[in-house]
Structures are given as structure tokens and as C-alpha cells.
Amino acid sequence: MDKFKWYALHTISQSEQKVKTLIENTKQKYNMVKKINEIIIPMDTETTKKEGKKIEKKVKVFPGYVMINMILDDESFNFIKRTPGVTNFVSSNGKPVTIKDEEIQGILEALDPNKGFKPKKKWSKDMIVRISDGPFSDFTGKIEEINDEKEIMKVMISLFGRDTPVEIEYGKVEKI
């Protein structure tokens, strides 16, 4: 008896949810229920501040990828490959690569908000950023200081030919 294993599917950008839904909705029709177990799109919650309000939004941890737990054989391989939005399995030498159960568990545990996981730091000293909002919109500069508690940073921008520090909220800057 074949065993369920985890694989990563490469999808067309922004099609992860569509691919997941299509597979779940058509696996019955194509007799794949016993071969496809679970499909996940690892998501994390990103918190930003906009106009003084905290905004939480879900972001994909691996944009362009979907994790699938399935029994891989010619029939299931072809079913997945023919799914609109799927470009390919993540593979090595043309063969789909399995993902170890421990790796998938690690990903899921890291993203479980009840486990107290802290997302990786988005900002770091000396990072070059572009200000996207406010009076200094479209200025670029280098981060000098970061205050995670208040979610603000000090960015050095060039103003009238001189380096000038400005204090900016996290939600008003973007990485370059």
C-alpha cells in the first residue's frame, strides 16, 4: 500500500487558493479522494499600523506554492499537473521531491499563533527603505533606529543635500 507523502506544488502567482479549491472540488469526480489527503497554504499574520490603527492581514509564507499530502502515482501526478494554475511539482531531476513530515510539522507549528511564535523581524538597522505615505512620501533612506514596541523607526533621508533623521511608522515604509 502506498503511503501519503507531502509535496510542494509550484503555482501561478496569486493562484494558490484557486488551486487548492479546484483540487478539493474535483478530486471526488476524478476518483482522487483516496489519494489526496490534505492541501495547505502556509499563512502568517502580519501586523501593521496605518493612521494609528493596528491592521492585521494574512500573508502567504511561500507565495506561489501549495503543500499537498497525497499518494503519488501516475494517475494522481497527471490529475495535479492538469489542474489549472499548477505549473509543476517542486522536483529534482524531473521527480517530485517529498517534504519530510517533520518539516511540514515545523512549518505549521511555527505559524500557530498559540505556540507563541514571533515572526521574523521585518526591519533591520541599515536597511534601505522607501517612505510610502506622509509628507516624505517617495523619499528613500537608511534605517538608523527601530522601536518594535511603538512600531516606529528613524530613517535618514537626504533633505536639501543633508542627511536628516525622520521618525516614521512601520506601515508608512516599504522595503526596496
Side-chain angles (χ1 to χ4, degrees):
M1 180 67 195
D2 288 322
K3 191 172 165 281
F4 282 98
K5 293 182 180 167
W6 284 99
Y7 299 90
L9 300 177
H10 194 272
T11 67
I12 294 171
S13 185
Q14 306 293 313
S15 296
E16 301 88 351
Q17 190 60 51
K18 184 181 108 179
V19 165
K20 178 180 179 182
T21 305
L22 268 169
I23 293 170
E24 287 171 343
N25 291 344
T26 57
K27 67 181 183 180
Q28 179 102 34
K29 180 179 173 186
Y30 293 99
N31 294 325
M32 292 290 144
V33 174
K34 291 187 173 114
K35 294 181 181 179
I36 296 171
N37 183 26
E38 187 179 1
I39 305 164
I40 56 172
I41 303 168
M43 304 286 272
D44 196 6
T45 305
E46 200 173 77
T47 307
T48 55
K49 245 185 183 177
K50 205 161 193 142
E51 295 165 18
K53 292 187 184 92
K54 271 192 180 185
I55 297 168
E56 285 191 353
K57 71 176 189 177
K58 292 278 189 191
V59 290
K60 295 176 194 97
V61 179
F62 307 113
Y65 293 92
V66 172
M67 309 300 161
I68 185 167
N69 186 238
M70 64 185 286
I71 294 172
L72 188 68
D73 60 17
D74 289 345
E75 201 180 5
S76 62
F77 176 84
N78 289 325
F79 169 72
I80 296 298
K81 288 278 292 180
R82 283 195 304 263
T83 302
V86 173
T87 55
N88 212 340
F89 280 86
V90 172
S91 55
S92 172
N93 298 329
K95 291 192 173 93
V97 178
T98 58
I99 303 170
K100 293 185 178 92
D101 287 345
E102 308 86 76
E103 289 180 60
I104 291 289
Q105 276 316 114
I107 291 168
L108 296 176
E109 282 176 20
L111 300 174
D112 184 348
N114 303 325
K115 301 264 191 230
F117 171 73
K118 283 277 176 249
K120 63 185 180 297
K121 290 235 187 274
K122 188 175 178 181
W123 311 109
S124 60
K125 188 177 178 345
D126 297 330
M127 184 183 278
I128 305 295
V129 294
R130 186 177 79 79
I131 299 171
S132 58
D133 195 13
F136 301 106
S137 185
D138 290 331
F139 276 80
T140 57
K142 185 161 65 168
I143 298 176
E144 283 295 308
E145 285 176 34
I146 299 166
N147 184 334
D148 280 328
E149 212 169 278
K150 292 184 178 173
E151 294 189 0
I152 55 173
M153 63 180 74
K154 196 173 282 179
V155 178
M156 294 299 273
I157 62 169
S158 180
L159 199 59
F160 307 119
R162 296 175 52 179
D163 279 350
T164 308
V166 291
E167 219 167 67
I168 299 283
E169 291 178 10
Y170 281 12
K172 295 184 178 183
V173 293
E174 53 193 37
K175 290 180 188 177
I176 293 184

